[in-house]
Every structure is written in C-alpha cells, then in structure tokens.
Amino acid sequence: MASETILEGKKAIVAEIVDKMKNAQAFVLVDYKGINVEQDTAFRKNAREADVDYKIYKNTFLRLAAKECGYDELVDALKGSTAVGFCNSDVVAPAKVVSEFAKSNDLECLTIKGGVIEGEIASLEELQKIATLPSREALLAKMLGSLQAPISNFACVINAIKEKKEEDEQASA
C-alpha cells in the first residue's frame, strides 16, 4: 500500500513536469552544481521577478517527462545537478535570467545544459544568443519609442510653424 502511494506521488511529479514542458513558451535545463545557498536564494528571486518558474527535480523524473513530451535529445543533458527554468510568457526570460545572473555574480558553476523554445529543442548556441536579446518588455518599449519619435518630431515642426506665424503677425502689426 505504501509503495503504491509513493509510486502515485512520483507519477504526479512527472505529470507536473510534462504539463510545464508542454505549456512553457521556453524552458532551460540548468547545471547549478557549486552554487551556495545565498546565491541560490538570490537567483530564485531574480527568476521569480522575470516570471521564470525555477525548480529542481530528480533527473529520473525529468528524463521520463522529456521522453513523454518528445524531447528525447534532452535526455543526454540530464546528468549531475539539474534544475529547470520554465516561462509561459517570454521565450527569452529563462536563458536570460540564468546567463545574466551567472555573469553578474561571476558564477561559472551556473550554466545552461539545454532547452526548448516554443516546442523546439534549441542548441546551446541558440540559447546563448537568445540570452543576450532584450526582454519582450524592452523590445516593446523600443518599438513604441520608434513609433512615437516621428509623431513627436512632427509636433515640434507644427509648433515651430505656429510660433513663426505668431512672430510674423506681431512684427507686421
């Protein structure tokens, strides 16, 4: 009876991972070996702020979930210390939060082992490139700024014409 309960608990964990893998815009497998508790706490805080769900699972559970989702190529990366960063809202966030935290804290031990972006397995090179992209919010802000610039310039020209006409009217009066 107790072993059945344990088995059901393990199946529930695998089902949870499968659900997260299927619903995530992106996720990365992270090697965290050598990170201390203080660094891990700070990293988890950064992950939460970036809307990244960072969890540590047993590699056995991750292997079963990866195979169930059709991500067999990730199985080789599931050795040693492995955590996963899932994000449902931003394809850049998981890789970015790991990369930026590792750089800013001079941590060579916090590395990306593999990952998936929009349902496709990404190479380490792709994940590293994605980690350097601006966040979705930053890209939207840049786009909005680009759209507003011509309008703002047009408003300045209109205002300058108005002021010139007022000056001309005052000079002729």
mmCIF file of all heavy atoms in Angstrom, residues 11-29 44 47-48 51-57 61-62 64-66 68-71 74 83-91 94 115-120:
data_model
loop_
_atom_site.group_PDB
_atom_site.id
_atom_site.type_symbol
_atom_site.label_atom_id
_atom_site.label_comp_id
_atom_site.label_asym_id
_atom_site.label_seq_id
_atom_site.Cartn_x
_atom_site.Cartn_y
_atom_site.Cartn_z
ATOM 1 N N LYS A 11 4.448 9.578 -10.060
ATOM 2 C CA LYS A 11 3.722 9.793 -11.319
ATOM 3 C C LYS A 11 3.157 11.210 -11.378
ATOM 4 O O LYS A 11 3.151 11.837 -12.434
ATOM 5 C CB LYS A 11 2.582 8.774 -11.467
ATOM 6 C CG LYS A 11 3.058 7.391 -11.835
ATOM 7 C CD LYS A 11 1.869 6.444 -11.985
ATOM 8 C CE LYS A 11 2.316 5.044 -12.333
ATOM 9 N NZ LYS A 11 1.172 4.113 -12.456
ATOM 10 N N ALA A 12 2.703 11.709 -10.241
ATOM 11 C CA ALA A 12 2.159 13.071 -10.184
ATOM 12 C C ALA A 12 3.249 14.102 -10.474
ATOM 13 O O ALA A 12 3.004 15.103 -11.162
ATOM 14 C CB ALA A 12 1.517 13.339 -8.825
ATOM 15 N N ILE A 13 4.454 13.862 -9.968
ATOM 16 C CA ILE A 13 5.572 14.781 -10.229
ATOM 17 C C ILE A 13 5.921 14.785 -11.712
ATOM 18 O O ILE A 13 6.102 15.845 -12.319
ATOM 19 C CB ILE A 13 6.802 14.421 -9.367
ATOM 20 C CG1 ILE A 13 6.494 14.666 -7.883
ATOM 21 C CG2 ILE A 13 8.029 15.221 -9.807
ATOM 22 C CD1 ILE A 13 7.537 14.118 -6.930
ATOM 23 N N VAL A 14 5.984 13.601 -12.314
ATOM 24 C CA VAL A 14 6.284 13.511 -13.749
ATOM 25 C C VAL A 14 5.184 14.220 -14.553
ATOM 26 O O VAL A 14 5.472 14.960 -15.488
ATOM 27 C CB VAL A 14 6.461 12.042 -14.200
ATOM 28 C CG1 VAL A 14 6.566 11.945 -15.720
ATOM 29 C CG2 VAL A 14 7.690 11.431 -13.544
ATOM 30 N N ALA A 15 3.931 14.011 -14.163
ATOM 31 C CA ALA A 15 2.809 14.667 -14.852
ATOM 32 C C ALA A 15 2.914 16.187 -14.732
ATOM 33 O O ALA A 15 2.631 16.917 -15.686
ATOM 34 C CB ALA A 15 1.477 14.176 -14.294
ATOM 35 N N GLU A 16 3.330 16.666 -13.568
ATOM 36 C CA GLU A 16 3.525 18.113 -13.366
ATOM 37 C C GLU A 16 4.593 18.645 -14.306
ATOM 38 O O GLU A 16 4.414 19.692 -14.947
ATOM 39 C CB GLU A 16 3.941 18.372 -11.911
ATOM 40 C CG GLU A 16 4.362 19.789 -11.623
ATOM 41 C CD GLU A 16 4.966 19.954 -10.227
ATOM 42 O OE1 GLU A 16 4.477 19.311 -9.280
ATOM 43 O OE2 GLU A 16 5.930 20.724 -10.096
ATOM 44 N N ILE A 17 5.708 17.924 -14.427
ATOM 45 C CA ILE A 17 6.800 18.352 -15.303
ATOM 46 C C ILE A 17 6.352 18.338 -16.758
ATOM 47 O O ILE A 17 6.631 19.277 -17.517
ATOM 48 C CB ILE A 17 8.051 17.461 -15.099
ATOM 49 C CG1 ILE A 17 8.564 17.562 -13.665
ATOM 50 C CG2 ILE A 17 9.150 17.859 -16.084
ATOM 51 C CD1 ILE A 17 9.603 16.518 -13.302
ATOM 52 N N VAL A 18 5.638 17.283 -17.150
ATOM 53 C CA VAL A 18 5.124 17.187 -18.524
ATOM 54 C C VAL A 18 4.238 18.390 -18.826
ATOM 55 O O VAL A 18 4.362 19.025 -19.881
ATOM 56 C CB VAL A 18 4.359 15.863 -18.745
ATOM 57 C CG1 VAL A 18 3.553 15.893 -20.040
ATOM 58 C CG2 VAL A 18 5.321 14.687 -18.741
ATOM 59 N N ASP A 19 3.347 18.712 -17.913
ATOM 60 C CA ASP A 19 2.448 19.845 -18.091
ATOM 61 C C ASP A 19 3.239 21.145 -18.259
ATOM 62 O O ASP A 19 2.949 21.951 -19.142
ATOM 63 C CB ASP A 19 1.495 19.941 -16.889
ATOM 64 C CG ASP A 19 0.483 21.055 -17.057
ATOM 65 O OD1 ASP A 19 -0.230 21.069 -18.081
ATOM 66 O OD2 ASP A 19 0.401 21.923 -16.158
ATOM 67 N N LYS A 20 4.250 21.340 -17.422
ATOM 68 C CA LYS A 20 5.066 22.560 -17.510
ATOM 69 C C LYS A 20 5.845 22.616 -18.820
ATOM 70 O O LYS A 20 5.959 23.674 -19.437
ATOM 71 C CB LYS A 20 6.015 22.649 -16.322
ATOM 72 C CG LYS A 20 5.297 22.979 -15.038
ATOM 73 C CD LYS A 20 6.257 23.071 -13.875
ATOM 74 C CE LYS A 20 5.482 23.337 -12.619
ATOM 75 N NZ LYS A 20 6.118 24.302 -11.768
ATOM 76 N N MET A 21 6.369 21.468 -19.253
ATOM 77 C CA MET A 21 7.127 21.429 -20.506
ATOM 78 C C MET A 21 6.230 21.744 -21.703
ATOM 79 O O MET A 21 6.625 22.456 -22.613
ATOM 80 C CB MET A 21 7.790 20.062 -20.701
ATOM 81 C CG MET A 21 8.999 19.830 -19.855
ATOM 82 S SD MET A 21 9.724 18.202 -20.194
ATOM 83 C CE MET A 21 11.249 18.321 -19.250
ATOM 84 N N LYS A 22 5.028 21.205 -21.670
ATOM 85 C CA LYS A 22 4.108 21.420 -22.795
ATOM 86 C C LYS A 22 3.566 22.840 -22.843
ATOM 87 O O LYS A 22 3.306 23.369 -23.916
ATOM 88 C CB LYS A 22 2.942 20.433 -22.717
ATOM 89 C CG LYS A 22 3.334 19.021 -23.095
ATOM 90 C CD LYS A 22 2.147 18.082 -23.037
ATOM 91 C CE LYS A 22 2.537 16.688 -23.490
ATOM 92 N NZ LYS A 22 1.397 15.747 -23.420
ATOM 93 N N ASN A 23 3.382 23.470 -21.701
ATOM 94 C CA ASN A 23 2.776 24.803 -21.640
ATOM 95 C C ASN A 23 3.767 25.957 -21.647
ATOM 96 O O ASN A 23 3.370 27.104 -21.815
ATOM 97 C CB ASN A 23 1.865 24.916 -20.414
ATOM 98 C CG ASN A 23 0.655 24.032 -20.557
ATOM 99 O OD1 ASN A 23 0.048 23.963 -21.615
ATOM 100 N ND2 ASN A 23 0.309 23.322 -19.500
ATOM 101 N N ALA A 24 5.036 25.667 -21.467
ATOM 102 C CA ALA A 24 6.042 26.729 -21.403
ATOM 103 C C ALA A 24 6.347 27.285 -22.791
ATOM 104 O O ALA A 24 6.440 26.529 -23.757
ATOM 105 C CB ALA A 24 7.324 26.209 -20.762
ATOM 106 N N GLN A 25 6.486 28.602 -22.885
ATOM 107 C CA GLN A 25 6.988 29.221 -24.116
ATOM 108 C C GLN A 25 8.437 28.780 -24.332
ATOM 109 O O GLN A 25 8.866 28.591 -25.451
ATOM 110 C CB GLN A 25 6.938 30.746 -24.007
ATOM 111 C CG GLN A 25 5.567 31.334 -24.122
ATOM 112 C CD GLN A 25 5.074 31.304 -25.554
ATOM 113 O OE1 GLN A 25 5.819 31.620 -26.472
ATOM 114 N NE2 GLN A 25 3.851 30.903 -25.738
ATOM 115 N N ALA A 26 9.148 28.649 -23.205
ATOM 116 C CA ALA A 26 10.542 28.213 -23.249
ATOM 117 C C ALA A 26 10.923 27.651 -21.887
ATOM 118 O O ALA A 26 10.345 28.020 -20.866
ATOM 119 C CB ALA A 26 11.460 29.380 -23.594
ATOM 120 N N PHE A 27 11.894 26.742 -21.902
ATOM 121 C CA PHE A 27 12.484 26.291 -20.644
ATOM 122 C C PHE A 27 13.928 25.894 -20.888
ATOM 123 O O PHE A 27 14.311 25.554 -22.001
ATOM 124 C CB PHE A 27 11.683 25.147 -19.988
ATOM 125 C CG PHE A 27 11.680 23.837 -20.715
ATOM 126 C CD1 PHE A 27 12.677 22.885 -20.498
ATOM 127 C CD2 PHE A 27 10.658 23.517 -21.594
ATOM 128 C CE1 PHE A 27 12.654 21.666 -21.151
ATOM 129 C CE2 PHE A 27 10.618 22.307 -22.251
ATOM 130 C CZ PHE A 27 11.629 21.368 -22.033
ATOM 131 N N VAL A 28 14.728 26.026 -19.841
ATOM 132 C CA VAL A 28 16.138 25.653 -19.918
ATOM 133 C C VAL A 28 16.481 24.696 -18.788
ATOM 134 O O VAL A 28 15.926 24.779 -17.689
ATOM 135 C CB VAL A 28 17.085 26.882 -19.853
ATOM 136 C CG1 VAL A 28 16.954 27.728 -21.094
ATOM 137 C CG2 VAL A 28 16.871 27.697 -18.609
ATOM 138 N N LEU A 29 17.388 23.793 -19.092
ATOM 139 C CA LEU A 29 17.958 22.896 -18.088
ATOM 140 C C LEU A 29 19.223 23.575 -17.585
ATOM 141 O O LEU A 29 20.043 24.043 -18.380
ATOM 142 C CB LEU A 29 18.292 21.544 -18.710
ATOM 143 C CG LEU A 29 17.137 20.803 -19.385
ATOM 144 C CD1 LEU A 29 17.646 19.534 -20.070
ATOM 145 C CD2 LEU A 29 16.050 20.480 -18.381
ATOM 146 N N ARG A 44 16.913 32.545 -7.331
ATOM 147 C CA ARG A 44 15.472 32.235 -7.336
ATOM 148 C C ARG A 44 14.642 33.519 -7.322
ATOM 149 O O ARG A 44 13.614 33.607 -7.996
ATOM 150 C CB ARG A 44 15.111 31.347 -6.155
ATOM 151 C CG ARG A 44 15.590 29.917 -6.313
ATOM 152 C CD ARG A 44 15.318 29.102 -5.048
ATOM 153 N NE ARG A 44 15.861 27.779 -5.134
ATOM 154 C CZ ARG A 44 15.205 26.720 -5.638
ATOM 155 N NH1 ARG A 44 13.982 26.851 -6.082
ATOM 156 N NH2 ARG A 44 15.776 25.543 -5.691
ATOM 157 N N ALA A 47 14.742 34.953 -10.751
ATOM 158 C CA ALA A 47 13.909 34.131 -11.637
ATOM 159 C C ALA A 47 12.431 34.477 -11.464
ATOM 160 O O ALA A 47 11.714 34.675 -12.445
ATOM 161 C CB ALA A 47 14.158 32.650 -11.372
ATOM 162 N N ARG A 48 11.984 34.587 -10.216
ATOM 163 C CA ARG A 48 10.575 34.939 -9.956
ATOM 164 C C ARG A 48 10.236 36.295 -10.551
ATOM 165 O O ARG A 48 9.174 36.479 -11.144
ATOM 166 C CB ARG A 48 10.293 34.962 -8.449
ATOM 167 C CG ARG A 48 9.936 33.624 -7.857
ATOM 168 C CD ARG A 48 9.419 33.760 -6.428
ATOM 169 N NE ARG A 48 10.300 34.488 -5.532
ATOM 170 C CZ ARG A 48 11.338 33.961 -4.891
ATOM 171 N NH1 ARG A 48 11.634 32.695 -5.025
ATOM 172 N NH2 ARG A 48 12.077 34.710 -4.091
ATOM 173 N N ASP A 51 9.463 36.166 -14.088
ATOM 174 C CA ASP A 51 8.357 35.251 -14.381
ATOM 175 C C ASP A 51 8.851 33.877 -14.825
ATOM 176 O O ASP A 51 8.255 33.240 -15.690
ATOM 177 C CB ASP A 51 7.412 35.864 -15.419
ATOM 178 C CG ASP A 51 6.059 35.166 -15.451
ATOM 179 O OD1 ASP A 51 5.656 34.602 -14.413
ATOM 180 O OD2 ASP A 51 5.413 35.165 -16.523
ATOM 181 N N VAL A 52 9.976 33.456 -14.266
ATOM 182 C CA VAL A 52 10.545 32.143 -14.558
ATOM 183 C C VAL A 52 10.330 31.249 -13.342
ATOM 184 O O VAL A 52 10.693 31.607 -12.222
ATOM 185 C CB VAL A 52 12.051 32.236 -14.889
ATOM 186 C CG1 VAL A 52 12.666 30.853 -15.051
ATOM 187 C CG2 VAL A 52 12.263 33.068 -16.140
ATOM 188 N N ASP A 53 9.710 30.102 -13.588
ATOM 189 C CA ASP A 53 9.459 29.108 -12.545
ATOM 190 C C ASP A 53 10.672 28.187 -12.499
ATOM 191 O O ASP A 53 10.868 27.356 -13.384
ATOM 192 C CB ASP A 53 8.186 28.329 -12.881
ATOM 193 C CG ASP A 53 7.821 27.308 -11.829
ATOM 194 O OD1 ASP A 53 8.350 27.370 -10.702
ATOM 195 O OD2 ASP A 53 6.993 26.417 -12.141
ATOM 196 N N TYR A 54 11.511 28.362 -11.477
ATOM 197 C CA TYR A 54 12.772 27.627 -11.345
ATOM 198 C C TYR A 54 12.588 26.526 -10.318
ATOM 199 O O TYR A 54 12.233 26.800 -9.176
ATOM 200 C CB TYR A 54 13.867 28.605 -10.921
ATOM 201 C CG TYR A 54 15.212 27.992 -10.626
ATOM 202 C CD1 TYR A 54 16.053 27.611 -11.655
ATOM 203 C CD2 TYR A 54 15.653 27.810 -9.322
ATOM 204 C CE1 TYR A 54 17.296 27.067 -11.392
ATOM 205 C CE2 TYR A 54 16.891 27.271 -9.045
ATOM 206 C CZ TYR A 54 17.709 26.899 -10.080
ATOM 207 O OH TYR A 54 18.937 26.357 -9.815
ATOM 208 N N LYS A 55 12.803 25.283 -10.742
ATOM 209 C CA LYS A 55 12.609 24.143 -9.839
ATOM 210 C C LYS A 55 13.726 23.126 -10.027
ATOM 211 O O LYS A 55 14.288 22.995 -11.111
ATOM 212 C CB LYS A 55 11.277 23.449 -10.125
ATOM 213 C CG LYS A 55 10.082 24.305 -9.831
ATOM 214 C CD LYS A 55 9.068 23.497 -9.120
ATOM 215 C CE LYS A 55 7.911 24.398 -8.759
ATOM 216 N NZ LYS A 55 7.070 23.858 -7.797
ATOM 217 N N ILE A 56 13.957 22.388 -8.960
ATOM 218 C CA ILE A 56 14.910 21.285 -9.017
ATOM 219 C C ILE A 56 14.106 19.994 -8.951
ATOM 220 O O ILE A 56 13.273 19.815 -8.058
ATOM 221 C CB ILE A 56 15.918 21.357 -7.851
ATOM 222 C CG1 ILE A 56 16.749 22.631 -7.975
ATOM 223 C CG2 ILE A 56 16.799 20.111 -7.833
ATOM 224 C CD1 ILE A 56 17.645 22.920 -6.787
ATOM 225 N N TYR A 57 14.348 19.128 -9.925
ATOM 226 C CA TYR A 57 13.700 17.813 -9.970
ATOM 227 C C TYR A 57 14.773 16.744 -10.103
ATOM 228 O O TYR A 57 15.877 17.017 -10.589
ATOM 229 C CB TYR A 57 12.779 17.696 -11.192
ATOM 230 C CG TYR A 57 11.579 18.592 -11.196
ATOM 231 C CD1 TYR A 57 11.536 19.734 -11.991
ATOM 232 C CD2 TYR A 57 10.457 18.281 -10.439
ATOM 233 C CE1 TYR A 57 10.423 20.548 -12.015
ATOM 234 C CE2 TYR A 57 9.333 19.091 -10.462
ATOM 235 C CZ TYR A 57 9.319 20.223 -11.253
ATOM 236 O OH TYR A 57 8.210 21.023 -11.283
ATOM 237 N N PHE A 61 12.921 11.844 -13.079
ATOM 238 C CA PHE A 61 11.617 12.438 -13.399
ATOM 239 C C PHE A 61 11.708 13.282 -14.666
ATOM 240 O O PHE A 61 10.814 13.254 -15.517
ATOM 241 C CB PHE A 61 11.101 13.295 -12.247
ATOM 242 C CG PHE A 61 10.847 12.551 -10.968
ATOM 243 C CD1 PHE A 61 10.946 13.198 -9.750
ATOM 244 C CD2 PHE A 61 10.508 11.210 -10.958
ATOM 245 C CE1 PHE A 61 10.703 12.537 -8.553
ATOM 246 C CE2 PHE A 61 10.263 10.525 -9.772
ATOM 247 C CZ PHE A 61 10.361 11.195 -8.569
ATOM 248 N N LEU A 62 12.784 14.058 -14.775
ATOM 249 C CA LEU A 62 12.971 14.900 -15.958
ATOM 250 C C LEU A 62 13.126 14.049 -17.226
ATOM 251 O O LEU A 62 12.580 14.405 -18.278
ATOM 252 C CB LEU A 62 14.186 15.814 -15.781
ATOM 253 C CG LEU A 62 14.026 16.941 -14.761
ATOM 254 C CD1 LEU A 62 15.365 17.606 -14.478
ATOM 255 C CD2 LEU A 62 13.013 17.959 -15.244
ATOM 256 N N LEU A 64 11.883 11.012 -17.785
ATOM 257 C CA LEU A 64 10.564 10.461 -18.131
ATOM 258 C C LEU A 64 9.677 11.523 -18.774
ATOM 259 O O LEU A 64 9.009 11.264 -19.777
ATOM 260 C CB LEU A 64 9.889 9.887 -16.877
ATOM 261 C CG LEU A 64 10.526 8.625 -16.293
ATOM 262 C CD1 LEU A 64 9.937 8.317 -14.912
ATOM 263 C CD2 LEU A 64 10.342 7.436 -17.228
ATOM 264 N N ALA A 65 9.678 12.718 -18.222
ATOM 265 C CA ALA A 65 8.856 13.807 -18.759
ATOM 266 C C ALA A 65 9.347 14.224 -20.145
ATOM 267 O O ALA A 65 8.539 14.439 -21.054
ATOM 268 C CB ALA A 65 8.868 14.998 -17.806
ATOM 269 N N ALA A 66 10.658 14.342 -20.312
ATOM 270 C CA ALA A 66 11.221 14.738 -21.608
ATOM 271 C C ALA A 66 10.848 13.721 -22.682
ATOM 272 O O ALA A 66 10.449 14.096 -23.792
ATOM 273 C CB ALA A 66 12.734 14.883 -21.509
ATOM 274 N N GLU A 68 8.276 11.696 -22.652
ATOM 275 C CA GLU A 68 6.838 11.768 -22.880
ATOM 276 C C GLU A 68 6.475 12.957 -23.772
ATOM 277 O O GLU A 68 5.517 12.898 -24.547
ATOM 278 C CB GLU A 68 6.087 11.861 -21.547
ATOM 279 C CG GLU A 68 4.591 11.710 -21.707
ATOM 280 C CD GLU A 68 3.851 11.579 -20.393
ATOM 281 O OE1 GLU A 68 4.399 11.000 -19.439
ATOM 282 O OE2 GLU A 68 2.705 12.063 -20.336
ATOM 283 N N CYS A 69 7.234 14.030 -23.679
ATOM 284 C CA CYS A 69 6.971 15.227 -24.493
ATOM 285 C C CYS A 69 7.645 15.170 -25.863
ATOM 286 O O CYS A 69 7.472 16.073 -26.675
ATOM 287 C CB CYS A 69 7.448 16.477 -23.760
ATOM 288 S SG CYS A 69 6.481 16.859 -22.306
ATOM 289 N N GLY A 70 8.440 14.123 -26.098
ATOM 290 C CA GLY A 70 9.139 14.004 -27.377
ATOM 291 C C GLY A 70 10.461 14.749 -27.419
ATOM 292 O O GLY A 70 10.997 15.012 -28.491
ATOM 293 N N TYR A 71 10.998 15.076 -26.268
ATOM 294 C CA TYR A 71 12.277 15.783 -26.192
ATOM 295 C C TYR A 71 13.403 14.815 -25.834
ATOM 296 O O TYR A 71 14.209 15.057 -24.938
ATOM 297 C CB TYR A 71 12.216 16.905 -25.146
ATOM 298 C CG TYR A 71 11.168 17.953 -25.408
ATOM 299 C CD1 TYR A 71 10.383 18.444 -24.374
ATOM 300 C CD2 TYR A 71 10.960 18.464 -26.686
ATOM 301 C CE1 TYR A 71 9.421 19.424 -24.602
ATOM 302 C CE2 TYR A 71 10.004 19.437 -26.919
ATOM 303 C CZ TYR A 71 9.236 19.915 -25.878
ATOM 304 O OH TYR A 71 8.286 20.882 -26.111
ATOM 305 N N LEU A 74 17.096 15.788 -25.124
ATOM 306 C CA LEU A 74 17.493 16.422 -23.863
ATOM 307 C C LEU A 74 17.973 15.405 -22.828
ATOM 308 O O LEU A 74 18.622 15.781 -21.854
ATOM 309 C CB LEU A 74 16.326 17.210 -23.268
ATOM 310 C CG LEU A 74 15.880 18.444 -24.029
ATOM 311 C CD1 LEU A 74 14.698 19.095 -23.317
ATOM 312 C CD2 LEU A 74 17.012 19.440 -24.181
ATOM 313 N N ALA A 83 18.478 21.640 -12.680
ATOM 314 C CA ALA A 83 17.276 22.392 -12.333
ATOM 315 C C ALA A 83 16.650 22.818 -13.656
ATOM 316 O O ALA A 83 17.276 22.730 -14.713
ATOM 317 C CB ALA A 83 17.631 23.616 -11.497
ATOM 318 N N VAL A 84 15.398 23.262 -13.592
ATOM 319 C CA VAL A 84 14.704 23.696 -14.803
ATOM 320 C C VAL A 84 14.097 25.066 -14.565
ATOM 321 O O VAL A 84 13.517 25.315 -13.506
ATOM 322 C CB VAL A 84 13.580 22.714 -15.198
ATOM 323 C CG1 VAL A 84 12.994 23.081 -16.549
ATOM 324 C CG2 VAL A 84 14.060 21.291 -15.210
ATOM 325 N N GLY A 85 14.223 25.925 -15.553
ATOM 326 C CA GLY A 85 13.572 27.231 -15.516
ATOM 327 C C GLY A 85 12.523 27.287 -16.610
ATOM 328 O O GLY A 85 12.859 27.227 -17.784
ATOM 329 N N PHE A 86 11.244 27.345 -16.215
ATOM 330 C CA PHE A 86 10.129 27.397 -17.161
ATOM 331 C C PHE A 86 9.592 28.825 -17.235
ATOM 332 O O PHE A 86 9.516 29.509 -16.222
ATOM 333 C CB PHE A 86 8.961 26.523 -16.683
ATOM 334 C CG PHE A 86 9.263 25.067 -16.530
ATOM 335 C CD1 PHE A 86 9.570 24.527 -15.290
ATOM 336 C CD2 PHE A 86 9.215 24.222 -17.630
ATOM 337 C CE1 PHE A 86 9.824 23.179 -15.135
ATOM 338 C CE2 PHE A 86 9.472 22.865 -17.486
ATOM 339 C CZ PHE A 86 9.782 22.341 -16.234
ATOM 340 N N CYS A 87 9.161 29.243 -18.420
ATOM 341 C CA CYS A 87 8.480 30.530 -18.543
ATOM 342 C C CYS A 87 7.350 30.400 -19.554
ATOM 343 O O CYS A 87 7.566 29.940 -20.675
ATOM 344 C CB CYS A 87 9.441 31.629 -18.978
ATOM 345 S SG CYS A 87 8.687 33.273 -18.893
ATOM 346 N N ASN A 88 6.167 30.799 -19.142
ATOM 347 C CA ASN A 88 4.993 30.717 -20.008
ATOM 348 C C ASN A 88 4.745 31.995 -20.790
ATOM 349 O O ASN A 88 3.881 32.020 -21.654
ATOM 350 C CB ASN A 88 3.745 30.392 -19.180
ATOM 351 C CG ASN A 88 3.831 29.044 -18.522
ATOM 352 O OD1 ASN A 88 4.581 28.170 -18.947
ATOM 353 N ND2 ASN A 88 3.074 28.855 -17.470
ATOM 354 N N SER A 89 5.483 33.064 -20.491
ATOM 355 C CA SER A 89 5.162 34.356 -21.095
ATOM 356 C C SER A 89 6.262 34.948 -21.974
ATOM 357 O O SER A 89 5.996 35.872 -22.727
ATOM 358 C CB SER A 89 4.821 35.360 -19.998
ATOM 359 O OG SER A 89 5.915 35.503 -19.122
ATOM 360 N N ASP A 90 7.485 34.446 -21.891
ATOM 361 C CA ASP A 90 8.601 35.087 -22.589
ATOM 362 C C ASP A 90 9.628 34.028 -22.986
ATOM 363 O O ASP A 90 10.158 33.328 -22.121
ATOM 364 C CB ASP A 90 9.228 36.132 -21.665
ATOM 365 C CG ASP A 90 10.297 36.985 -22.323
ATOM 366 O OD1 ASP A 90 10.687 36.704 -23.469
ATOM 367 O OD2 ASP A 90 10.751 37.945 -21.679
ATOM 368 N N VAL A 91 9.922 33.906 -24.273
ATOM 369 C CA VAL A 91 10.871 32.891 -24.723
ATOM 370 C C VAL A 91 12.311 33.230 -24.342
ATOM 371 O O VAL A 91 13.159 32.350 -24.270
ATOM 372 C CB VAL A 91 10.785 32.649 -26.251
ATOM 373 C CG1 VAL A 91 9.451 32.092 -26.639
ATOM 374 C CG2 VAL A 91 11.100 33.891 -27.036
ATOM 375 N N PRO A 94 13.967 32.580 -19.592
ATOM 376 C CA PRO A 94 14.714 31.537 -18.881
ATOM 377 C C PRO A 94 16.218 31.571 -19.150
ATOM 378 O O PRO A 94 17.018 31.536 -18.210
ATOM 379 C CB PRO A 94 14.086 30.230 -19.389
ATOM 380 C CG PRO A 94 12.743 30.607 -19.871
ATOM 381 C CD PRO A 94 12.877 32.004 -20.403
ATOM 382 N N GLY A 115 17.744 23.182 -23.673
ATOM 383 C CA GLY A 115 16.463 23.850 -23.513
ATOM 384 C C GLY A 115 15.557 23.722 -24.711
ATOM 385 O O GLY A 115 15.934 23.165 -25.747
ATOM 386 N N VAL A 116 14.356 24.262 -24.549
ATOM 387 C CA VAL A 116 13.325 24.212 -25.581
ATOM 388 C C VAL A 116 12.734 25.609 -25.722
ATOM 389 O O VAL A 116 12.473 26.277 -24.721
ATOM 390 C CB VAL A 116 12.226 23.193 -25.204
ATOM 391 C CG1 VAL A 116 11.049 23.270 -26.148
ATOM 392 C CG2 VAL A 116 12.801 21.780 -25.169
ATOM 393 N N ILE A 117 12.536 26.020 -26.967
ATOM 394 C CA ILE A 117 11.922 27.316 -27.260
ATOM 395 C C ILE A 117 10.741 27.063 -28.186
ATOM 396 O O ILE A 117 10.905 26.490 -29.265
ATOM 397 C CB ILE A 117 12.926 28.276 -27.923
ATOM 398 C CG1 ILE A 117 14.096 28.532 -26.980
ATOM 399 C CG2 ILE A 117 12.244 29.570 -28.325
ATOM 400 C CD1 ILE A 117 15.261 29.206 -27.623
ATOM 401 N N GLU A 118 9.578 27.461 -27.727
ATOM 402 C CA GLU A 118 8.336 27.294 -28.480
ATOM 403 C C GLU A 118 8.187 25.884 -29.042
ATOM 404 O O GLU A 118 7.880 25.685 -30.209
ATOM 405 C CB GLU A 118 8.235 28.350 -29.587
ATOM 406 C CG GLU A 118 8.124 29.758 -29.035
ATOM 407 C CD GLU A 118 7.985 30.817 -30.105
ATOM 408 O OE1 GLU A 118 8.466 30.618 -31.238
ATOM 409 O OE2 GLU A 118 7.393 31.864 -29.783
ATOM 410 N N GLY A 119 8.437 24.899 -28.195
ATOM 411 C CA GLY A 119 8.229 23.498 -28.563
ATOM 412 C C GLY A 119 9.347 22.844 -29.343
ATOM 413 O O GLY A 119 9.266 21.660 -29.665
ATOM 414 N N GLU A 120 10.405 23.590 -29.657
ATOM 415 C CA GLU A 120 11.527 23.049 -30.423
ATOM 416 C C GLU A 120 12.788 23.037 -29.562
ATOM 417 O O GLU A 120 13.089 24.016 -28.889
ATOM 418 C CB GLU A 120 11.791 23.898 -31.671
ATOM 419 C CG GLU A 120 10.628 23.958 -32.638
ATOM 420 C CD GLU A 120 10.326 22.628 -33.303
ATOM 421 O OE1 GLU A 120 11.281 21.867 -33.596
ATOM 422 O OE2 GLU A 120 9.136 22.334 -33.522
#
